[in-house]
Amino acid sequence: MAVEHGHLARAAAAILCLLIFHVAPSDSHSQARGSGGSGTTTCISRERDALMSFKSGFFDPVGLLSSWQGQECCEWKGVRCSNRTGHVVNLNLRGNYIYDVHDFLSLSKGGMSSSLAALQHLRYLDLSGNYFNGTSIPVFLGSLQNLRYLNLSFSSFSGRIPSQLGNLSKLQYLDVNQNYYYDSYNLSVVDLAWLEGLPLLNNLDMSGVDLSPVLDWIYMVNMLSSLRVLRLAHCGLTKTVPATLKSNLTHLELLDLSSNLFNTSLEHNWFWDLTGLKELHLSYCKWHGPIPEELGNMTSLEVIDLSENGLVGLIPSNLENLCNLQVLLFEQSNISASIGEFMDRLPRCSWSTIQVLLMSQTNVTGKLPLGVGALGNLTVLDLSENKLDDVLVKEHFSGLLRLEHLDLSYNSLKMSIDPNWVPPFRLKMVNLHSCPVGPHFPEWLRWQTNIDTLILANTSLVDVLPDWFWVTFSQASLLDASDNMLRGSLPKNLQHMSVDSIYLGSNMLTGQVPQFPINISWLDLSSNSFSGSLPSKLKAPLLAMLLLDNNQITGTIPSSMCQLTGLMRLDLSANNLTGHVLQCLKQSDNNFLVSDTNSADQFGSSMHTLSLRNNDLSGEFPKFIQSAPGLNFLDLSYNRFSGALPNWLPEKLPQLQILRARSNMFSGPIPKNFSCLGELYYLDMASNNISGSIPWSLSNLKAMRDTSKYVAHLAYEDSMAVITKGQTRDYTFKVYSLVVNFDLSCNSLTGQIPEEISLLIGLTGLDLSSNQLTSKIPNKIGDLKQLQSLDLSNNKFSGEIPSSLSALTYLSYLNLSYNNLSGPIPSGPQLQTLDNQIDIYIGNPDLCGYPLPKNCSASTNDAEQSVDHENGNHVVPLHLGMGMGFVVGLWTVFCTMILRTVWAAAYFQIIDNLFDKVYLWVPTACARLMNKTDDDAT
Ligand SMILES: *[C@@H]1O[C@H](CO)[C@@H](O)[C@H](O)[C@H]1NC(C)=O
Ligand SMILES: *[C@@H]1O[C@H](CO)[C@@H](O)[C@H](O)[C@H]1NC(C)=O
Ligand SMILES: *[C@@H]1O[C@H](CO)[C@@H](O)[C@H](O)[C@H]1NC(C)=O
Ligand SMILES: *[C@@H]1O[C@H](CO)[C@@H](O)[C@H](O)[C@H]1NC(C)=O
Ligand SMILES: *[C@@H]1O[C@H](CO)[C@@H](O)[C@H](O)[C@H]1NC(C)=O
Ligand SMILES: *[C@@H]1O[C@H](CO)[C@@H](O)[C@H](O)[C@H]1NC(C)=O
């Protein structure tokens, strides 16, 4: 999912870049890599040796230190010597760990040499962004008495920060910021008294360092009266500080305390005295209450970040002197007032300086005042997920000359904009998801040729997708207009487009599927009315997801599909494709066991999901999937595949979790080695012509023996129809919840059910109906405690119904009808709550007891005749609730991690789609499923 929403990540990154770009941070991380020394200085040999020894402690895969050779160490990259003395004074070895997987040094086995201690004249040391592999910060750094600048950020150090750093009495800049999102290593501090030794410090960044044991942190920090920048984000701080604390930090310009759970009122805090602050970052702290009046005295503020706290109420009314505001971040505050009132309180004098206004999820209501258009410097406006209810006209936007990023998604904003309007801005990103912009396609977008990301999903567009769409947005990277009623066809050829993600699913588009854009990675044209055959030359080397399901595409799958070797997900289901399925294997692979089929450039080598469901495909079980070792979802159902089930599945598809081959013409026995499909938890082979007995070895299916599997499971955007007897649930989801299912119904299986089936204790559904199975129902069937649905009807089972059935407390569907069962029906509270009691047992003349009219002690046989023959449609409770809970949980974590709104939008989109796309319907008898129906295409 995260991958598929890469565009949103990009959008989020775009916002962050805008922020960074526009806010011009007051600490300077931007000192360039050392530019080498002058030509005249001569390296001091003792120092050169120290550098060489230091170098030898690292792996240097891309040769960052390749210039470190020869005598003149002052010329080496990153090294600078003093003109006067020749001593090494600067060492700038900043790496790119995090951003780039190669461009950094990593500590080798020997560890970091303490030889650097010889560089006693060092003033500047930057080792940030390299990989120190969880070692601790070396103590000897504390002996570099002349250091002014020390940067150890994002370097995978761990352990305690040595208090010896307190000996660096000339230090002005100290950065030990840890990358707490990606890095598993942790720096910590138990005592900050050593800060007292750093009286000249003006920049301190300890973000991500665990300071939770340091209860007096504020008193220690308060000694640093020269501080201009203090960053203590995500430090585990909880202790609130008495408002009486007299702050010493009179020079402070930037304070970042975000992501610490203070869980207290935002009013009366020590930092409100810091009236010289330019940036105040207080997001994710669980602050309570209103935004305090004290803010009104902070007249230097440029950046206010109070987002994600759930603060209640409007901004205070006394902000009229805050004339330097540039960035206002209030996402997830419960402002619950009209946007008009909010605007009234925004200081007039800052209307021309505000550049970024993020107010996603703030419960703002009402109509957008035209005054919004007076924010002449606004570049980012995000009002998504609110209760704005307005008809937007061009005047709302006429003053927004610099707008680049506009997010109005998930409101009730309609747009009624004159089609001839030419906007004054050039947007890069626009998100109008779920805002009713339609019915006409917004004509004003025609002029937005700078757009990188366009989201018009679910915007009530009932129109022809205009031709200019493909011209105006030819440079965009993401285009999403899904869930509308767009008509018309696409240009025959989109190869010239730069786009990497197109989402046009769930529209009414017709015509042929076009030639793909050359850079496309994600392409969703599902649920439209595309027809004709697929382009014969598919060329899209980066394609990772191709969704063409639920269209009317005909013809065969072109062999050029084999060149789409990066495909992770392919869904061609519910079309009219015919012929044999691809044969992408290389010629030499006549014998499938001898092959180089796992090589990375093979079709399928990245694939995890493949659905060919509901077409007219024929031939034997597709062999090309032998080169898809990562496949975990395979759906071949409702086709005309025939022949034997292949015995290479376990070897070639060790990850397979879901296998659906229902309604085909597969024949022969179930290969015994299917039991080696260790991840398989969903097996549906119903309605084929499978014969022989059920191998007892299937009881070894590991994933089905695992009750903990019964936890919702996140997968990619998988479309899966879960069929349990009497009902089909179409989980056309990004997510499917986990149903552990074993369905071999409507085949020609003979023999008895192996006793060992009772070992598959994870099963929630077991369907063996409509076969020729004989003998007794295994006594231990009651061990399958998770069973919700059990169907053994239309077989030749005899003997008594095992009384253990009454132990199945989750059972909500049971069918034992039309067998030769005899004796008393077991009693049990759960059995008696089942619907259509009589249908469960009908067709077994020798059964007796409740609910049948036949009394077990009596021997009348007529009772059965009176039973009404009704085919009960039974609704098994959906697992949707559980799946959703999981998704919500997961995304909550994810969103918290990523911090920004755009992600939240993605999350809501998923939830919405869940609701939109769930539908149920009830096929009737098994026999109907034997014939190909268009059920799945509904
Ligand atoms: C040292 O030399 C370089 C190059 O000649 C020069 O740019 C720089 O200003 C000098 N620094 C001092 C402190 O003299
Ligand atoms: C990091 O440390 C671990 C454990 O000490 C070691 O196995 C691994 O090889 C090290 N990695 C590097 C890049 O040095
Ligand atoms: C304020 O800072 C000075 C050093 O600059 C220090 O001596 C003094 O103790 C600090 N005051 C408080 C209350 O921490
Ligand atoms: C703002 O500062 C003034 C002068 O320092 C002070 O008297 C006043 O109480 C402050 N207002 C608030 C709301 O803190
Ligand atoms: C918005 O209002 C609803 C209902 O009053 C509330 O449940 C929700 O928490 C509010 N949103 C925020 C971000 O506080
Ligand atoms: C926008 O901000 C810049 C400074 O960032 C300022 O020079 C310019 O006047 C502002 N533009 C408007 C329209 O206020």
Side-chain angles (χ1 to χ4, degrees), residues 603-830:
F603 181 70
S605 56
S606 307
M607 196 174 280
H608 59 70
T609 300
L610 173 64
S611 181
L612 301 173
R613 172 173 50 92
N614 203 2
N615 277 289
D616 249 324
L617 297 166
S618 53
E620 53 184 12
F621 202 97
K623 277 188 195 137
F624 76 87
I625 60 169
Q626 289 185 44
S627 55
L631 202 67
N632 53 44
F633 179 101
L634 176 60
D635 192 345
L636 302 174
S637 55
Y638 302 100
N639 277 292
R640 297 172 189 273
F641 290 113
S642 56
L645 297 173
N647 60 10
W648 44 258
L649 274 190
E651 186 200 347
K652 300 293 184 182
L653 303 182
Q655 317 273 342
L656 197 62
Q657 297 182 326
I658 295 176
L659 173 57
R660 297 191 63 214
R662 155 183 293 263
S663 284
N664 278 288
M665 299 180 299
F666 289 117
S667 56
I670 302 168
K672 291 198 173 51
N673 70 357
F674 269 28
S675 60
C676 304
L677 289 163
E679 303 290 324
L680 191 73
Y681 66 79
Y682 192 103
L683 174 66
D684 180 357
M685 291 282 174
S687 303
N688 278 286
N689 194 18
I690 296 168
S691 55
S693 58
I694 303 174
W696 66 265
S697 61
L698 289 188
S699 61
N700 287 324
L701 285 165
K702 201 163 125 246
M704 295 190 186
R705 294 176 69 153
D706 183 357
T707 50
S708 69
K709 272 269 170 200
Y710 192 51
V711 167
H713 175 82
L714 183 75
Y716 291 83
E717 217 176 324
D718 285 317
S719 156
M720 169 179 163
V722 178
I723 303 188
T724 52
K725 184 62 197 214
Q727 180 201 24
T728 298
R729 311 158 185 164
D730 196 334
Y731 291 70
T732 310
F733 292 166
K734 329 245 165 194
V735 173
Y736 52 89
S737 65
L738 203 69
V739 179
V740 183
N741 198 32
F742 189 99
D743 189 344
L744 293 174
S745 60
C746 303
N747 278 294
S748 308
L749 294 166
T750 51
Q752 63 189 70
I753 303 184
E755 273 288 331
E756 293 85 352
I757 202 157
S758 64
L759 296 171
L760 301 179
I761 55 175
L763 286 182
T764 60
L766 175 60
D767 191 346
L768 299 172
S769 63
S770 299
N771 278 291
Q772 320 279 329
L773 296 167
T774 53
S775 192
K776 291 183 66 173
I777 298 173
N779 271 330
K780 287 181 150 177
I781 195 107
D783 287 0
L784 303 177
K785 292 268 190 300
Q786 308 288 330
L787 270 190
Q788 299 179 17
S789 170
L790 173 63
D791 194 340
L792 301 176
S793 63
N794 290 294
N795 277 291
K796 297 174 177 165
F797 291 116
S798 55
E800 293 196 357
I801 299 176
S803 60
S804 67
L805 266 191
S806 59
L808 299 177
T809 45
Y810 297 120
L811 203 62
S812 57
Y813 180 80
L814 174 66
N815 195 347
L816 301 175
S817 63
Y818 299 100
N819 278 294
N820 295 322
L821 297 166
S822 57
I825 290 172
S827 61
Q830 187 62 28

Side-chain angles (χ1 to χ4, degrees), residues 207-224:
S207 296
V209 176
D210 181 9
L211 297 183
S212 56
V214 192
L215 298 181
D216 59 355
W217 64 272
I218 183 62
Y219 299 99
M220 298 302 122
V221 168
N222 206 23
M223 295 184 297
L224 303 172

Side-chain angles (χ1 to χ4, degrees), residues 529-548:
S529 297
F530 287 104
S531 57
S533 51
L534 291 171
S536 61
K537 292 211 173 89
L538 295 169
K539 204 169 158 205
L542 306 176
L543 196 61
M545 179 191 86
L546 178 58
L547 308 184
L548 296 174

Side-chain angles (χ1 to χ4, degrees), residues 56-355:
S56 67
F58 290 93
F59 292 121
D60 183 8
V62 293
L64 292 179
L65 302 182
S66 59
S67 67
W68 285 32
Q69 48 188 323
Q71 298 301 303
E72 190 45 278
C73 71
C74 297
E75 308 260 287
W76 294 353
K77 192 173 175 194
V79 179
R80 229 185 70 204
C81 301
S82 157
N83 292 357
R84 216 164 29 81
T85 65
H87 287 294
V88 175
V89 289
N90 277 28
L91 198 49
N92 184 344
L93 299 177
R94 177 174 295 201
N96 258 327
Y97 180 58
I98 305 170
Y99 306 107
D100 186 308
V101 282
H102 298 301
D103 191 9
F104 59 88
L105 302 169
S106 64
L107 207 57
S108 72
K109 280 273 185 306
M112 182 159 148
S113 160
S114 60
S115 62
L116 273 195
L119 305 178
Q120 278 296 316
H121 297 264
L122 208 56
R123 298 160 65 100
Y124 181 101
L125 177 59
D126 188 348
L127 298 175
S128 64
N130 293 302
Y131 187 69
F132 286 88
N133 203 6
T135 58
S136 38
I137 295 177
V139 169
F140 75 80
L141 291 178
S143 68
L144 298 172
Q145 304 266 354
N146 279 302
L147 273 189
R148 268 68 167 179
Y149 179 102
L150 178 58
N151 192 341
L152 303 175
S153 59
F154 303 114
S155 298
S156 298
F157 281 113
S158 74
R160 297 251 170 93
I161 295 179
S163 58
Q164 285 83 348
L165 294 187
N167 297 336
L168 302 173
S169 58
K170 295 178 182 161
L171 206 61
Q172 297 169 12
Y173 186 106
L174 175 59
D175 188 350
V176 289
N177 188 337
Q178 288 301 287
N179 180 11
Y180 42 90
Y181 294 135
Y182 299 97
D183 215 325
S184 52
Y185 297 117
N186 252 332
L187 279 175
S188 63
V189 165
V190 289
D191 182 3
L192 278 176
W194 53 272
L195 285 180
E196 192 175 8
L198 312 176
L200 304 179
L201 207 59
N202 61 47
N203 188 314
L204 175 61
D205 189 345
M206 302 186 91
S207 296
V209 176
D210 181 9
L211 297 183
S212 56
V214 192
L215 298 181
D216 59 355
W217 64 272
I218 183 62
Y219 299 99
M220 298 302 122
V221 168
N222 206 23
M223 295 184 297
L224 303 172
S225 55
S226 307
L227 271 189
R228 292 181 188 280
V229 173
L230 176 59
R231 296 183 188 267
L232 297 175
H234 206 278
C235 289
L237 304 176
T238 50
K239 186 114 169 67
T240 59
V241 174
T244 53
L245 177 94
K246 184 79 194 77
S247 176
N248 220 358
L249 305 179
T250 49
H251 297 104
L252 204 63
E253 295 178 355
L254 184 151
L255 176 63
D256 185 352
L257 295 175
S258 49
S259 302
N260 290 292
L261 294 185
F262 293 114
N263 203 4
T264 185
S265 163
L266 185 55
E267 286 177 299
H268 313 306
N269 265 296
W270 60 280
F271 44 76
W272 295 121
D273 284 347
L274 306 173
T275 51
L277 276 185
K278 292 183 176 164
E279 296 192 30
L280 181 57
H281 298 269
L282 297 174
S283 60
Y284 288 97
C285 293
K286 288 215 171 172
W287 297 114
H288 305 169
I291 301 171
E293 298 254 307
E294 290 151 308
L295 190 61
N297 271 352
M298 314 271 278
T299 52
S300 302
L301 274 182
E302 295 170 3
V303 178
I304 306 178
D305 184 358
L306 293 175
S307 51
E308 315 280 345
N309 283 303
L311 289 164
V312 179
L314 267 174
I315 48 175
S317 58
N318 64 343
L319 302 185
E320 65 275 2
N321 294 325
L322 276 63
C323 297
N324 300 307
L325 293 176
Q326 294 175 16
V327 177
L328 297 174
L329 312 180
F330 291 114
E331 303 117 274
Q332 278 221 32
S333 298
N334 198 355
I335 289 176
S336 294
S338 75
I339 185 81
E341 288 173 89
F342 179 86
M343 287 292 296
D344 277 346
R345 292 183 174 206
L346 268 192
R348 258 325 127 116
C349 58
S350 70
W351 280 20
S352 61
T353 59
I354 293 177
Q355 296 167 18

Side-chain angles (χ1 to χ4, degrees), residues 565-641:
T565 54
L567 269 183
M568 301 197 289
R569 179 170 174 210
L570 175 61
D571 194 339
L572 299 174
S573 58
N575 279 293
N576 299 317
L577 293 166
T578 51
H580 288 217
V581 95
L582 298 172
Q583 296 296 341
C584 298
L585 292 181
K586 288 179 185 158
Q587 283 305 331
S588 61
D589 293 334
N590 293 333
N591 176 355
F592 354 113
L593 296 178
V594 187
S595 70
D596 56 346
T597 51
N598 289 351
S599 66
D601 60 347
Q602 283 269 330
F603 181 70
S605 56
S606 307
M607 196 174 280
H608 59 70
T609 300
L610 173 64
S611 181
L612 301 173
R613 172 173 50 92
N614 203 2
N615 277 289
D616 249 324
L617 297 166
S618 53
E620 53 184 12
F621 202 97
K623 277 188 195 137
F624 76 87
I625 60 169
Q626 289 185 44
S627 55
L631 202 67
N632 53 44
F633 179 101
L634 176 60
D635 192 345
L636 302 174
S637 55
Y638 302 100
N639 277 292
R640 297 172 189 273
F641 290 113

